[in-house]
C-alpha cells in the first residue's frame, strides 16, 4: 500500500484561511460553480483521471480539496485501488516546541473520502463514499484553496510576454482580471502570478553564466582527462542545456549502467 502525504500541496497561508469561519471571511461569491451530482456507490469511471476530475469538481462545489490518501499497486506498478479524501483529513503533525510559534493547521481528521477499485473490464468502480465532513464547509472560499488556483497556459504566456515588454506586474494582473470579466472569474490569485514570475526568473540564466561554467569545465578537464561535458547555447549565447560526468561516474556507469539518478532539488531554492 502506498501512502501519500498531501500536506505539501496545501501551503501555510491557505491552511490558515481554511480554519477561518465562513462568516469571518468576506469574499465575492463564485458565480461559475457548476452543478455536480453527488457521488454514489456503484458509479463507474473509464479512467482513474476521470474519477479524480469528477471528485475534484464535486469538492470545489462543496468547498474542499481532494487529495490521494492511499493507493494499492500490483508488482507491475498498475494501481488497483485508490482512496481520495478531503484535504483536512489526517491529524496535525505540528511539532513546534513553542506553541506561540506553531503554524496554523487545517487538519481535523476529517473522514470524508471516496474509494475506487479497478475491475476486470478496466473500469473503476466506486466502492464506498463518505460525504459527511467534521468541519465547516464554505464553497465561497473553495477557489482560494491552492489546489483550485491554476494559472492556464495561455495566461502564463500572456504574463511572460507582458513581463518581457517591461509592463509592471500589477498592470499585468489587472489586464488578466479584466479579460476574464472580474476577480470572481479569475482562477488564480495575484500572489500566484508573482510566484510564477519568480519561478521563471530563477530558472533563467543571466549573461556570463555560460562562459563561467565553460571555464570551470575546462579546469575540470585539465585536472581529469576522463571528465566529459557538453554545453548547448541559445541564439543569444545564453546557456540552454548542459551535461557533465566526472571520471568516477563514468567508470561506475560501466558496472551499473542501469542506474540513473536525478537531482530533484535543483530549483527548490
Amino acid at each position: 500500500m502506498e501512502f501519500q502525504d498531501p500536506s505539501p500541496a496545501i501551503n501555510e497561508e491557505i491552511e490558515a484561511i481554511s480554519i477561518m469561519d465562513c462568516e469571518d471571511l468576506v469574499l465575492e461569491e463564485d458565480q461559475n460553480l457548476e452543478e455536480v451530482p453527488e457521488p454514489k456507490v456503484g458509479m463507474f469511471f473509464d479512467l482513474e483521471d476521470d474519477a479524480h476530475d469528477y471528485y475534484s469538481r464535486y469538492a470545489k462545489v462543496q468547498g474542499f480539496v481532494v487529495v490521494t490518501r492511499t493507493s494499492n499497486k500490483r508488482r507491475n506498478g498498475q494501481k488497483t485501488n485508490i482512496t481520495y479524501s478531503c484535504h483536512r483529513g489526517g491529524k496535525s503533525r505540528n511539532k513546534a516546541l513553542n506553541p506561540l510559534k506553531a503554524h496554523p493547521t487545517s487538519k481535523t481528521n476529517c473522514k470524508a473520502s471516496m474509494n475506487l477499485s479497478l475491475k476486470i473490464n478496466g473500469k473503476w468502480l466506486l466502492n464506498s463514499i463518505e460525504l459527511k465532513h467534521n468541519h465547516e464547509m464554505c464553497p465561497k472560499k473553495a477557489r482560494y484553496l491552492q489546489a483550485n488556483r491554476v494559472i492556464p497556459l495561455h495566461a502564463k504566456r500572456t504574463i511572460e510576454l507582458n513581463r518581457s515588454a517591461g509592463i509592471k506586474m500589477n498592470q499585468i494582473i489587472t489586464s488578466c482580471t479584466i479579460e476574464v470579466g472580474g476577480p470572481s472569474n479569475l482562477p488564480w490569485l495575484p500572489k500566484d502570478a508573482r510566484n510564477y514570475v519568480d519561478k521563471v526568473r530563477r530558472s533563467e540564466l543571466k549573461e556570463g553564466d555560460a562562459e563561467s561554467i565553460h571555464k570551470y569545465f575546462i579546469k575540470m578537464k585539465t585536472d581529469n582527462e576522463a571528465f566529459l561535458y557538453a554545453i548547448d547555447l541559445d541564439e543569444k549565447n545564453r546557456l540552454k542545456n548542459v551535461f557533465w560526468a566526472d571520471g568516477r561516474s563514468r567508470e561506475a556507469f560501466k558496472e551499473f549502467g542501469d542506474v540513473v539518478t536525478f537531482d530533484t532539488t535543483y530549483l527548490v531554492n
Side-chain angles (χ1 to χ4, degrees):
M1 181 175 292
E2 179 185 31
F3 293 88
Q4 302 182 10
D5 183 6
S7 55
I10 309 297
N11 62 26
E12 295 172 1
E13 177 188 1
I14 300 304
E15 287 192 340
I17 293 178
S18 297
I19 61 177
M20 295 176 66
D21 290 336
C22 213
E23 292 78 6
D24 296 335
L25 196 60
V26 181
L27 302 173
E28 182 178 356
E29 186 172 1
D30 191 349
Q31 302 294 336
N32 297 321
L33 289 177
E34 60 179 320
E35 292 186 6
V36 181
E38 186 176 278
K40 298 182 182 298
V41 173
M43 295 177 66
F44 276 96
F45 301 91
D46 293 331
L47 301 171
E48 173 193 343
D49 290 343
D50 294 340
H52 185 273
D53 178 67
Y54 160 74
Y55 197 41
S56 296
R57 289 188 289 111
Y58 171 79
K60 186 174 182 179
V61 174
Q62 297 299 317
F64 69 99
V65 170
V66 172
V67 297
T68 302
R69 181 61 58 186
T70 62
S71 63
N72 294 337
K73 294 181 179 179
R74 296 194 179 104
R75 291 185 178 180
N76 61 4
Q78 183 183 29
K79 293 181 181 179
T80 58
N81 190 281
I82 303 174
T83 298
Y84 298 124
S85 65
C86 172
H87 72 287
R88 300 187 70 172
K91 297 181 179 179
S92 172
R93 297 181 180 180
N94 202 327
K95 298 181 180 180
L97 297 179
N98 187 348
L100 297 178
K101 295 183 179 181
H103 296 296
T105 177
S106 65
K107 304 300 181 183
T108 63
N109 201 24
C110 181
K111 302 299 182 181
S113 61
M114 182 176 79
N115 177 266
L116 303 106
S117 61
L118 181 64
K119 296 304 178 182
I120 299 178
N121 60 4
K123 294 188 176 183
W124 289 87
L125 171 66
L126 200 164
N127 296 314
S128 62
I129 181 74
E130 175 56 61
L131 299 175
K132 187 177 297 184
H133 296 257
N134 65 356
H135 54 88
E136 184 180 11
M137 305 291 287
C138 186
K140 291 183 180 180
K141 66 179 180 180
R143 61 187 292 264
Y144 288 84
L145 296 171
Q146 186 178 16
N148 294 331
R149 289 160 28 208
V150 179
I151 303 179
L153 291 177
H154 71 274
K156 289 182 178 180
R157 182 61 177 166
T158 299
I159 292 172
E160 291 179 16
L161 290 175
N162 289 333
R163 174 173 162 268
S164 300
I167 300 176
K168 295 182 179 180
M169 198 62 209
N170 61 335
Q171 294 176 325
I172 296 175
I173 294 173
T174 300
S175 176
C176 292
T177 303
I178 295 175
E179 182 180 356
V180 297
S184 63
N185 297 323
L186 202 64
W188 43 270
L189 300 178
K191 178 180 179 180
D192 300 320
R194 293 188 173 89
N195 288 341
Y196 173 72
V197 169
D198 289 340
K199 182 179 179 181
V200 172
R201 185 183 295 117
R202 288 197 302 270
S203 65
E204 293 177 344
L205 293 168
K206 299 179 181 179
E207 296 180 3
D209 287 341
E211 182 179 357
S212 299
I213 291 179
H214 190 209
K215 289 181 179 179
Y216 177 74
F217 283 166
I218 291 177
K219 176 181 179 301
M220 294 294 294
K221 184 72 174 180
T222 302
D223 296 339
N224 184 356
E225 284 295 329
F227 184 83
L228 178 68
Y229 70 91
I231 294 178
D232 181 21
L233 305 178
D234 63 12
E235 64 279 358
K236 295 183 179 180
N237 203 36
R238 293 182 301 188
L239 193 60
K240 185 177 181 182
N241 297 297
V242 59
F243 169 83
W244 73 92
D246 58 30
R248 182 178 180 182
S249 296
R250 296 181 66 187
E251 288 299 318
F253 184 75
K254 295 178 182 179
E255 299 296 330
F256 310 101
D258 59 339
V259 177
V260 179
T261 63
F262 295 90
D263 179 8
T264 59
T265 65
Y266 77 107
L267 280 181
V268 171
N269 191 341

